[in-house]
Amino acid sequence: MRIPLSWLREFAQVPADATAEDVMADLVKVGFEEEEVHRPTDELRGPIVVGQVLSLVKEPQTNGKTINWCQVRVVPEGQEQTLTGKGIDPSGVQGIICGAHNFVEGDKVVVTLPGAVLPGNFQISARKTYGHLSAGMIASVRELGIGDDHDGILVLSRIGLDPEIGTDAMELLGLYDQAAEINVTPDRGYAFSIRGVAREYAHATGTTFVDPASRVSAPASLQGGYGVKINDDAPIYGKPGCDRFVARTVRGVDASRPTPPWMSARLRLAGVRSISLPVDISNYVMLELGQPNHCYDLDKLAGDIVVRRAVAGEKITTLDDKERTLDVEDLLITDDSGAIGIAGVMGGAHTEVSDSTTDILVEAAHFDEVSIARSRRRHKLPSEASKRFERGVDWHVANIAAQRVVDLLVELAGGTADEAGTDVGTAPDAVTIELPAEFASARIGIDFTDEQITTSLVDLGAVVEKTASGYRVTAPSWRNDLETKEDLSEEIARLVGYDNIPSTLPVAPPGRGLTRSQQQKRRVVQALADAGLTEVLSYPFVSKAANDTFGVAAEGAARPALKLANPISEEQGYLRTSILPGLIEVARRNHSRGFRDLALYEAGSVFLPGDKLGTDSIPPLGVKPADEVLDALYDGVPYQPLHIAAVLTGHDSPAAATHTPRAWDWADAVDVARLIADVLGVELVVSQGSHQAFHPGRAAQLALRTGDVVGYAGELHPKLLAAHDMPARSVALEVNVEALFEAAADVIVAKHISGFPVATQDVALVVPQDVPADQVLSALREGAGVLLEDVSLFDVYVGPGIEDGKKSLAFGLRFRADDRTLTADEASEARAAAVAVATERFGAVQR
C-alpha cells in the first residue's frame, strides 16, 4: 500500500517536516514492513514553471518535420525575472523550439527552464538547434513523469487549470508530495486504505486520528432507488456471497471533464493510473475508505440488478476486453441482459462509463471473502477491488463510500444526485470476545495494566466492558481478523509496543533435546560434508519408470509407488522410492552448466506404500478427531524411511601443475557408504551385488551382519548414464540409513588402541574368478584368529602368469597383540592359518 503523505495528513497529525522514511519508521512500530519510498523530486528538479505561449512560428525543415519557434513568457508582464542561471533570459521571455503541435498562442504550458532535470537524468540547458538558441523545453506529461501521454505537450487549461504565469509547476501538479509504501499482511486488509493507515499511524505516534468516514454525511436510510435483488442460491460454506448492496444515482454528469491535478497526483503516488474523472473518483474513494465501488452507465442497464451465481457456460466480457467463461461458483452482478460484472473482481465492458455518459449508477457492496478470492484465482484476474474484498471490507462503510462518490461526482463532474437510493442486505452480528483479565499478560510474558489493556482495545475501535473475570470486547466492524482472545492479546502487545516485551531465551527442560535418530542423522550428514561432499535437495516427485529402475534391484520388477492425485507434472506424478533419480538430475543439470567434478549427496525420505493407503473418508473440519480415527489416518500413511544417496562424477580434485587428479571409481562409492556406517558404529558387509541401475560387474551390495540388504554402491549403468547425458564412469550409492540407525548400538564404544607395534604381512592368493573377494577376505579374517587387527584387499590381477579362469587377490594383513610385541614367527604363523582356511574353502593357492 502506497500512502501519499499529503493525503495521510488530512486524517492524522503527521509533522510538516516528516519524510516518507519517518512515516515508515513509525508504522514499523505497529507491525508493518517497509517497502519503498516514492518521491518525484528524486528524479525531477526545477526550475519548472508555468509559461504562456506569446508567439508560435511554424518552420518547415529539410528532413520533412515542421518545428515551432516559440516565445514563451515565464514571468508575469512587468515583473522581474528572479531566477538566474545560464540560459535563463532576464526579460522573462524564453525562446524555445518545440516539435509538438497540440497547442496555440495564448495557451499556458509547463516550461522546464535551463538547469532543470527531468526523469532519466535528462538535463535541460540552452542549446543551438534548428538555427535558434532554444533555452528550455515545453513539457509533456510523460517527460514530467506524471503519465504515459506523449502525443503532445501538457496544456494546463485542458486539465482545468488557469494559474498565474511563473507559478511553480511542480507545486501546482503535486510533485513535491511523496509516498511511503508498506507491506500489508493478509490479516490486516483494513490497512489497504488511507483510513486504516491513518488510524495505525495515530496508534504508533499517540496523535489524534480523524476518521474520513465521519466527514461524509450519508442518509440514515435509503429507499426508492434502483431495483436490486440478492439471490445467492449456492452460498459457499453456507455464507451468502453478498450481504449488502448500496446503489445511488447521479444524473447530468459531464464525464469528459478532466480529473483535478490534486486528485490525479495522489492517485499517481498511490500507484493508480488516472483514466477518466468518474473512474478516478471511484478509485480515489476506494483508496481513501477501503471500500471498492463501481460506476455503471445508467443508460446501458436493462432492468433490475440481480446478484447471483453464474450459470454453467455463461460468459462475460470484462473491462479488460477479454471474454471469460464463468464457473457456477462465480458471483455475478447481472441485469436483464445477463452478466455485467464479476462481483468484487472486475466490471463488465457493456456497462462501462465513457466520456459520453451522463447518468451514473454508483455501486458499493459487501462481498464474501472466500467467494471473491476463488473467482480472482480462477480467472487469474487480480484487481485492486478483489485485493481488498478477499481480505475483508468494513460492512458498515458501504453507504458512506457510495455517498462520497456521489459527492465528488456532483462537485467535480457537475452532476445532480437523486435523493432516492437503494440499500439492501442484512448486517452481520457483532463479534464479542471474552478476554480473561490475566490472559494477555500470561500469553505475551509482560504485565499489562488495566489501563494499557483498555486503552489499546478502545484505540482499535473496540467496545470494552469490564466483567467479573476480565473484559467483554466487541470487535470493530473493520477488523474481521479479531475473533479470539489470542487475537486481542496480539493487538494489545502490538499497540503497547513490541519493544517493551523482554527478550529471554527459553530454558530447555532436563532430558530433552535431539532424539537419538536426529543426533545420528546430524552426525552422518556432517561427516559427509567434512569428507568434501556437497549436500543438495532434489524434488521428491519422479516418474514411474524412475521408481521402477532405481527402487527395485531386479530388472523387470515393478516398485509399488504412491501416485499423486494432483501432480505438478504428469511426467513426474509419483513420490520417489529412491533418492537417486532426483540426485542424478541435479548432477546432470550442473554438468550441463560446466561443473564437471561433482560429489553430491542428499539425505531425505522415500515413500514406500504398504497394503493400506489412506482412509475411506476424511474427518470433518473444526473438531479434533478421536484417537482411533487418528490411528487409522496414520495407518494409511506410507512408510517413509530416511535414505542417503550420493553421486560422484569427474575427478576427486582440481588439476594443478604438479598434480594429476584421479577419476572417481566404484571403490569411492563403497568408501562413502563405509564412512556412513563407521560414523554410526555399524559394521557394513560389502559384497558383489547386482542392481539394474548399476554396472553389471561394478556394483556392490551393502548389508548388515544379519544379512539384511541396506543399499547398493558402484558405477552407474552405461546406458543409464548415456540416457541422462552424464559422464561415463559416474558412480553412486544409496543406503537405507534408518536401518543403520536401528542396527547401531545406543553407545558407540571406541576401539582399544594398543601401545605395541603392528606387524604387517601381505599375501597373494590365486582363486577362481567367480569367487567374490569379500568371501576370501572373510576366510582370512576367520583363520587369522585374535591377533588379526585388520585385513584389506589392495590388488586384483588377471593376466600373464595367472591361469585362465582364475585371478590373483592381494591382501594386506595387520597383526597386533595387546600385551606384547609380536615376533615375526607369530605373525607368519597367523598368516599361514588364515591362508589355510582360504585354501580349504576356495582352493586358494599362494603365489
Side-chain angles (χ1 to χ4, degrees), residues 514-772:
L514 297 178
T515 64
R516 177 174 179 267
S517 60
Q518 289 171 334
Q519 292 173 340
Q520 290 171 317
K521 179 184 176 183
R522 284 199 178 187
R523 288 202 302 269
V524 170
V525 297
Q526 187 61 52
L528 292 175
D530 292 343
L533 281 77
T534 300
E535 185 175 12
V536 297
L537 291 175
S538 63
Y539 282 113
F541 313 121
V542 299
S543 65
K544 184 178 185 302
N547 274 337
D548 290 345
T549 299
F550 292 93
V552 183
E555 187 173 357
R559 164 61 105 176
L562 191 67
K563 192 176 191 305
L564 297 171
N566 186 24
I568 296 175
S569 165
E570 287 298 333
E571 291 76 18
Q572 296 176 321
Y574 290 82
L575 285 174
R576 67 188 180 191
T577 59
S578 166
I579 295 179
L580 281 176
L583 195 56
I584 289 173
E585 174 59 24
V586 172
R588 183 203 65 77
R589 190 163 57 251
N590 278 273
H591 188 267
S592 68
R593 285 160 174 75
F595 296 96
R596 307 295 183 183
D597 302 325
L598 300 171
L600 309 177
Y601 77 98
E602 179 178 359
S605 297
V606 297
F607 305 86
L608 309 178
D611 296 334
K612 181 180 179 183
L613 187 63
T615 56
D616 296 333
S617 61
I618 301 297
L621 300 175
V623 180
K624 180 182 178 181
D627 290 342
E628 58 271 17
V629 176
L630 290 174
D631 291 340
L633 288 172
Y634 285 123
D635 289 342
V637 174
Y639 179 46
Q640 301 171 41
L642 179 70
H643 280 209
I644 288 182
V647 172
L648 313 174
T649 70
H651 298 84
D652 65 346
S653 57
T658 59
H659 170 69
T660 301
R662 182 183 63 83
W664 297 112
D665 62 23
W666 64 268
D668 294 300
V670 174
D671 285 344
V672 172
R674 281 182 168 143
L675 173 62
I676 295 171
D678 288 344
V679 169
L680 297 172
V682 176
E683 184 179 356
L684 201 62
V685 178
V686 180
S687 61
Q688 181 72 39
S690 175
H691 192 291
Q692 59 181 332
F694 289 85
H695 191 288
R698 299 169 188 157
Q701 177 181 281
L702 311 174
L704 301 174
R705 275 292 163 195
T706 59
D708 296 330
V709 177
V710 295
Y712 291 87
E715 187 177 311
L716 290 169
H717 200 290
K719 291 184 179 179
L720 186 148
L721 292 174
H724 286 80
D725 196 23
M726 289 275 288
R729 310 298 290 269
S730 295
V731 299
L733 69 125
E734 183 163 5
V735 180
N736 181 353
V737 289
E738 193 152 308
L740 298 184
F741 292 167
E742 295 175 359
D746 291 338
V747 178
I748 301 175
V749 180
K751 294 180 180 179
H752 172 71
I753 300 176
S754 174
F756 295 94
V758 68
T760 302
Q761 296 210 9
D762 297 338
V763 62
L765 301 177
V766 178
V767 297
Q769 280 195 356
D770 59 354
V771 175

Side-chain angles (χ1 to χ4, degrees), residues 131 193 326 342 515 676 782:
S193 66
L326 301 167
I342 303 175
T515 64
I676 295 171
E782 182 181 335

Side-chain angles (χ1 to χ4, degrees), residues 264-453:
S264 59
R266 286 183 174 178
L267 290 174
R268 181 175 63 252
L269 266 181
V272 177
R273 181 170 58 93
S274 178
I275 298 174
S276 67
L277 180 58
V279 175
D280 290 350
I281 289 173
S282 174
N283 286 332
Y284 187 85
V285 173
M286 176 186 66
L287 292 172
E288 185 172 81
L289 296 173
Q291 168 69 57
N293 56 87
H294 189 69
C295 292
Y296 299 94
D297 188 325
L298 184 62
D299 294 334
K300 296 177 182 177
L301 292 174
D304 290 350
I305 285 177
V306 179
V307 185
R308 61 169 173 84
R309 299 287 172 179
V311 177
E314 193 170 1
K315 297 180 184 295
I316 185 176
T317 300
T318 46
L319 287 172
D320 56 0
D321 291 326
K322 292 183 179 179
E323 185 179 71
R324 303 177 187 276
T325 301
L326 301 167
D327 186 89
V328 292
E329 271 196 355
D330 287 328
L331 189 69
L332 303 180
I333 311 299
T334 68
D335 64 3
D336 291 349
S337 67
I340 58 173
I342 303 175
V345 179
M346 186 173 284
H350 173 65
T351 56
E352 181 180 8
V353 172
S354 65
D355 285 349
S356 62
T357 298
T358 57
D359 299 335
I360 290 177
L361 183 72
V362 178
E363 165 213 310
H366 186 267
F367 300 113
D368 171 49
E369 297 92 329
V370 174
S371 182
I372 302 307
R374 288 189 178 183
S375 290
R376 190 267 300 169
R377 286 194 292 268
R378 183 180 298 115
H379 296 290
K380 298 180 177 60
L381 191 57
S383 66
E384 291 294 325
S386 65
K387 179 167 65 176
R388 288 161 174 80
F389 277 126
E390 66 184 80
R391 289 165 172 81
V393 171
D394 184 1
W395 189 94
H396 294 280
V397 83
N399 62 322
I400 296 171
Q403 182 65 49
R404 179 72 164 136
V405 174
V406 168
D407 292 344
L408 288 172
L409 286 172
V410 170
E411 176 187 352
L412 303 177
T416 302
D418 285 3
E419 291 187 7
T422 304
D423 189 351
V424 296
T426 304
D429 295 332
V431 177
T432 301
I433 307 165
E434 297 292 335
L435 178 64
E438 301 300 326
F439 182 82
S441 297
R443 184 81 174 178
I444 305 302
I446 181 174
D447 291 331
F448 295 113
T449 65
D450 176 75
E451 182 182 0
Q452 285 177 318
I453 293 173

